[in-house]
Amino acid sequence: MAVHEDSNAHKKKSSDALDEIPTFNVDNMQNNTRIINYSRTFMSIIGGVIAGILGFTGLMGFIFYFLVMAITTAGLAAKTGFAVHSYFDSWNRIVLDGILGGLLSFVLFWTFAYDIVHIF
Amino acid sequence: MAEDLVLDTAIRDWVLIPLSVVMVLIGVLRYFVSKLIRSDQIPDIKIVKEGQVIIRARYLRAAANFIPAKSFRVRRHYYSNEENGLLHVPKGQAQNPQAQMFSDPNMAMDMMKKNLSMIIPQTLTFAWVNFFFSGFVAAKIPFPLTQRFRAMLQNGIDLSTVDVSYVSSRSWYFLNLFGLRGLFSLILGEDNATDDAQRMMQMGGFGFDPTRSLGAEKDGLDIVQHDWALPKFEQRAAAVLKKLVS
């Protein structure tokens, strides 16, 4: 996934040296959040196409979606070297952010691929 | 009732793909047109001044813990004291800027232009879809839905025994409308005007009313509890320097 890693290459540290009170550099935080959104959108689109081609229907498809999201989360966590707190302000960002938005794109591309491959 | 309808390949070639392609292209077009149309509006200097004061007060609030308590209090007093504090607005002037804003023709025109550029392509595309692509099954959604969705999703199809998963092209249009937002954010970058849902949420908060935000900022500043974040800073600085030197 060259694009996936490429976009992550620009993550920056956002907490500064004073570790006692967490302070954040807003620009870097926004950049990191944007990277998370891009990664998730991209992965949901790819996941939708894969789900459609493989012919998942119903619940299986949604489980696949959450599986893809979990893989994305794991990838993001690994990219930060598991030191999530120096790049984001909480675990919630890296785990939950952007999942619902990606769901719609996933469903669109899933329907598209499924129809093209299986119905027509 | 899971019989598999076999649908004509022509539907795929001439309905699904063109509709998606058209929606993507219209989105891109709308983005560029909104960039071109954006007129240069010379802002009122009073509004700009107040905006800048609010930004300064916000910075003070955000970084309050990094300056000593006394400095913070002095600054806060500068902003919110009763006689000539910057954020304190005498009651008489409260409503004026807002009234001015609404009667200002430039601002109204700008708002209308933005609204129109949002609504017209959507309306046109919807009308086009309805006119050309109604009355047949367009796609099958891969997950089952209850019967209640039938009225919404199967608009042009008059058979009531067809499985709810087989939807008309109108629902394909709506699916595209929501699903392509993610795609637009990827290909157009962050600042794209195609994010309708976000735009509609912003519309609710319209009415940049400077006096109200001044008051809100003042209250926010009053609330801040100063928590000195760097109490042992000299010792830490000394420790770091010692490490560097030794």
Side-chain angles (χ1 to χ4, degrees), chain A residues 20 23 34 57-58 105 115 120, chain B residues 8 66 139-140 142 179 190 236:
Chain A
E20 281 154 10
T23 57
R34 205 180 313 149
T57 59
S105 304
D115 283 349
F120 291 111
Chain B
D8 196 356
F66 291 109
K140 177 179 196 286
E190 276 305 312
R236 285 176 52 185

Side-chain angles (χ1 to χ4, degrees), chain B residues 39 41-44 47 97-98 100-115 206-208:
Chain B
S39 59
Q41 183 196 14
I42 301 181
D44 185 18
I47 309 259
Q98 193 175 19
Q100 258 179 17
M101 186 114 21
F102 277 126
S103 63
D104 187 12
N106 276 341
M107 172 100 38
M109 183 61 59
D110 219 28
M111 285 281 310
M112 243 179 44
K113 259 194 273 190
K114 258 188 262 180
N115 270 340
F206 163 67
F208 167 67

Side-chain angles (χ1 to χ4, degrees), chain B:
Chain B
M1 154 121 38
E3 74 272 329
D4 265 350
L5 292 183
V6 174
L7 299 174
D8 196 356
T9 314
I11 298 185
R12 172 189 64 189
D13 291 342
W14 294 99
V15 174
L16 289 195
I17 297 181
L19 193 53
S20 299
V21 167
V22 163
M23 288 187 76
V24 170
L25 289 179
I26 286 189
V28 172
L29 193 68
R30 192 163 52 169
Y31 170 68
F32 285 121
V33 165
S34 74
K35 271 194 144 172
L36 288 175
I37 282 191
R38 189 164 301 169
S39 59
D40 273 333
Q41 183 196 14
I42 301 181
D44 185 18
I45 189 164
K46 191 157 174 295
I47 309 259
V48 170
K49 266 173 149 178
E50 282 169 355
Q52 297 290 5
V53 165
I54 291 179
I55 292 178
R56 281 170 65 190
R58 234 177 254 162
Y59 281 155
L60 177 64
R61 222 182 343 149
N65 294 330
F66 291 109
I67 48 179
K70 189 154 153 253
S71 321
F72 173 67
R73 274 201 293 273
V74 164
R75 286 170 173 82
R76 180 165 66 182
H77 185 256
Y78 174 64
Y79 284 110
S80 51
N81 95 56
E82 293 294 309
E83 291 118 40
N84 54 0
L86 293 180
L87 295 180
H88 180 68
V89 177
K91 294 292 182 184
Q93 288 181 14
Q95 280 311 307
N96 270 344
Q98 193 175 19
Q100 258 179 17
M101 186 114 21
F102 277 126
S103 63
D104 187 12
N106 276 341
M107 172 100 38
M109 183 61 59
D110 219 28
M111 285 281 310
M112 243 179 44
K113 259 194 273 190
K114 258 188 262 180
N115 270 340
L116 282 184
S117 83
M118 196 64 40
I119 293 184
I120 281 193
Q122 271 192 26
T123 321
L124 282 180
T125 315
F126 189 55
W128 176 66
V129 166
N130 268 341
F131 180 64
F132 281 111
F133 298 131
S134 60
F136 58 90
V137 170
K140 177 179 196 286
I141 46 182
F143 48 91
L145 290 172
T146 62
Q147 295 299 318
R148 283 190 302 137
F149 287 100
R150 184 186 287 276
M152 187 164 54
L153 297 177
Q154 284 190 342
N155 253 308
I157 306 170
D158 292 326
L159 307 170
S160 58
T161 56
V162 174
D163 206 2
V164 188
S165 301
Y166 291 96
V167 298
S168 70
S169 34
R170 196 183 291 189
S171 41
W172 177 246
Y173 168 75
F174 280 116
L175 196 60
N176 264 302
L177 193 62
F178 292 121
L180 287 177
R181 277 193 287 149
L183 189 67
F184 283 138
S185 82
L186 276 184
I187 60 182
L188 294 180
E190 276 305 312
D191 180 26
N192 52 340
T194 56
D195 209 349
D196 311 324
Q198 241 184 29
R199 182 60 66 93
M200 280 192 272
M201 284 192 280
Q202 271 175 13
M203 282 303 149
F206 163 67
F208 167 67
D209 187 7
T211 57
R212 226 184 311 155
S213 32
L214 281 184
E217 207 51 45
K218 177 165 174 291
D219 290 337
L221 208 49
D222 284 339
I223 288 180
V224 170
Q225 300 266 27
H226 183 260
D227 189 13
W228 175 230
L230 312 170
K232 301 206 192 58
F233 199 56
E234 290 111 347
Q235 281 93 323
R236 285 176 52 185
V240 168
L241 289 172
K242 239 186 270 183
K243 236 191 298 178
L244 276 179
V245 169
S246 68

Side-chain angles (χ1 to χ4, degrees), chain A residues 39 44 89:
Chain A
S39 308
S44 33
D89 52 353

Side-chain angles (χ1 to χ4, degrees), chain A residues 11-90:
Chain A
K11 268 199 200 172
K12 299 182 197 128
K13 283 221 180 243
S14 61
S15 71
D16 68 0
L18 305 171
D19 294 302
E20 281 154 10
I21 308 261
T23 57
F24 298 103
N25 179 346
V26 175
D27 274 343
N28 289 350
M29 281 253 306
Q30 281 180 348
N31 188 34
N32 294 348
T33 311
R34 205 180 313 149
I35 288 179
I36 296 185
N37 280 331
Y38 285 166
S39 308
R40 283 203 194 274
T41 313
F42 188 71
M43 290 294 285
S44 33
I45 291 180
I46 301 281
V49 174
I50 293 180
I53 294 180
L54 292 180
F56 291 141
T57 59
L59 202 54
M60 268 300 296
F62 287 111
I63 293 180
F64 184 71
Y65 174 67
F66 286 112
L67 191 64
V68 167
M69 284 295 116
I71 293 179
T72 314
T73 305
L76 287 168
K79 183 71 183 183
T80 65
F82 291 106
V84 173
H85 285 289
S86 63
Y87 288 97
F88 300 101
D89 52 353
S90 78

